[in-house]
Amino acid sequence: MTARAADRARYDRATAAYDAPLALVDLAAFDANAADLVRRANGKPIRVASKSVRCRALLERVLAREGFAGIMSFTLAESLWLARSGFDDVLLAYPSADRAGYAELAADPKLATSVTVMVDDVAQLDLIDASRAGGREVVQVCLELDTSLRLFGGRVRVGARRSPLHSPAQLAELARSVARRPGFTLVGLMGYEGHVAGVGDALAGRPVRSRAIRLMQAAARRELAERRGAAVRAVRAVAPELEFVNGGGTGSVQHTAAEDAVTEIAAGSGLYVPRLFDNYTSFTGRPAALFALPVVRRPGVGAVTVLGGGYPASGAAGPDRLPVPYLPEGLRFDPQEGAGEVQTPLLGSPADDLLIGDKVWFRHAKAGELCERFDVLHLVEGDTVTATVPTYRGEGHTFL
């Protein structure tokens, strides 16, 4: 029996009393992935990206481990909810236009000391001030550095379109604006190099493209390390008490941790290891989060149909954004139908061994987005479900 076949047997036994569709997290794999992130961070603390987890119980589990500290959130409403739930170090990774949320933040001393918000434009400071509704608490802010690699005089850009602050001088100017403004304090600097951390460099069957990605990423790391160091020096000249410099992501943990200017690493997807994180030369994770769909039809030889399955991931549309049938091995989508909203045909010889009601296990493409589909996660240890915990959705929250 292969290791994957053994996992299938184990997951089937663990969830025998539960009807699919369902989702599980293999805690042994989750904990092993957490340990590997800590190893790669080489002593620098890891701030957990909550959008990649979206389950309070698992956020608590990983933050109880040595090497993890703080949460990187994705909306202001989520940040406030987490702070009220007992998480006392929440960095909002994206600017917000949530006026009601800013009013709550500015009126509550506990929230104001637990949550840091992201800015990259004076207009965002104006919006926060206009939203205070009489609240006088000092709002903690973090500046975001644009990490994109610009080539040929800026005519070619590699990296996500996030912050407009690319140069150390631009960051220093905004830092001065924050320092001059009552009601704000600058506590952090962040830069997410998604073109390094979120792009696999070992694409199956595409050696030339993989080589090109590795060359691009090596150049991007060198350029960013120099520019981020200069940016940190420029900001610290304005705000000497800067508390943290955050960088990286699951795919770049060890490279970002090697930069002296960076004080902490962000990571989250590496806990679940969805399929988009299979194609890296720098690390190998263990799939920890999966979902199961039930066989409901047997339309012919070498074919079964499962209920649901159309769970595409965000990002540029393409086959890599779809879930993939994982267990039993050897199943594939029908190219004419793909993953469907209410049913998904699957082809391959293993289909002939599946009965009505059997589970087919899938891997999703992007980490926390799985939790937008399921109210609970079944936590598996060995061949037993030891706990069933709510996702954000299960607690009544769909923040985006």
Side-chain angles (χ1 to χ4, degrees), residues 74-387:
F74 59 97
T75 73
L76 181 55
E78 179 212 14
S79 306
L80 301 178
W81 177 64
L82 290 173
R84 289 197 176 96
S85 301
F87 298 96
D88 60 5
D89 181 5
V90 182
L91 169 63
L92 175 57
Y94 307 89
S96 177
D98 181 354
R99 291 176 172 83
Y102 283 131
E104 290 182 50
L105 181 67
D108 189 316
K110 180 184 183 303
L111 295 179
T113 57
S114 298
V115 176
T116 298
V117 302
M118 191 66 61
V119 299
D120 56 35
D121 192 312
V122 171
Q124 294 155 356
L125 300 176
D126 294 340
L127 187 147
I128 295 170
D129 268 339
S131 305
R132 287 179 180 270
R136 297 180 177 276
E137 296 300 323
V138 173
V139 175
Q140 300 179 145
V141 300
C142 176
L143 307 184
E144 181 168 359
L145 166 69
D146 170 32
T147 65
S148 64
L149 176 64
R150 298 184 181 181
L151 305 171
F152 306 109
R155 292 189 297 275
V156 174
R157 174 195 181 106
V158 181
R161 294 185 180 275
R162 292 175 62 111
S163 170
L165 307 175
H166 189 77
S167 71
Q170 289 173 310
L171 284 154
E173 179 57 33
L174 185 54
R176 284 189 285 271
S177 295
V178 175
R180 290 193 295 262
R181 195 154 185 156
F184 294 92
T185 182
L186 177 57
V187 299
L189 176 66
M190 188 198 93
Y192 172 58
E193 54 268 40
H195 50 301
V196 179
V199 177
D201 63 351
L203 307 180
R206 306 184 71 179
V208 175
R209 181 168 176 78
S210 297
R211 173 65 174 163
I213 290 172
R214 287 194 289 273
L215 290 172
M216 175 276 292
Q217 290 179 338
R221 289 196 301 267
R222 288 192 298 271
E223 186 276 338
L224 179 58
E226 180 176 346
R227 182 161 52 89
R228 180 154 41 200
V232 172
R233 290 191 295 273
V235 172
R236 286 196 186 279
V238 178
E241 303 303 316
L242 198 70
E243 296 175 12
F244 65 86
V245 177
N246 181 282
T250 288
S252 70
V253 171
Q254 65 271 38
H255 302 299
T256 308
E259 295 183 34
D260 290 339
V262 174
T263 66
E264 63 176 41
I265 311 299
S269 296
L271 296 168
Y272 288 166
V273 187
R275 61 173 297 224
L276 281 178
F277 286 84
D278 286 348
N279 305 314
Y280 287 78
T281 57
S282 60
F283 76 100
T284 301
R286 291 173 55 182
L290 302 100
F291 67 93
L293 302 177
V295 174
V296 292
R297 286 176 167 163
R298 291 170 50 86
V301 175
V304 294
T305 302
V306 295
L307 184 69
Y311 305 156
S314 60
D320 64 336
R321 301 289 145 167
L322 295 178
V324 291
Y326 182 59
L327 303 170
E329 298 179 68
L331 293 173
R332 65 186 186 279
F333 291 126
D334 181 334
Q336 301 301 314
E337 298 195 49
E341 178 188 6
V342 291
Q343 70 167 36
T344 297
L346 298 172
L347 309 179
S349 58
D352 294 328
D353 297 322
L354 291 169
L355 304 176
I356 300 296
D358 283 352
K359 294 180 176 79
V360 176
W361 295 91
F362 290 76
R363 292 181 66 200
H364 60 298
K366 291 187 74 175
E369 293 183 18
L370 175 68
C371 295
E372 296 302 314
R373 302 287 181 171
F374 294 92
D375 290 340
V376 299
L377 298 172
H378 299 291
L379 308 185
V380 172
E381 297 185 68
D383 61 359
T384 303
V385 171
T386 56

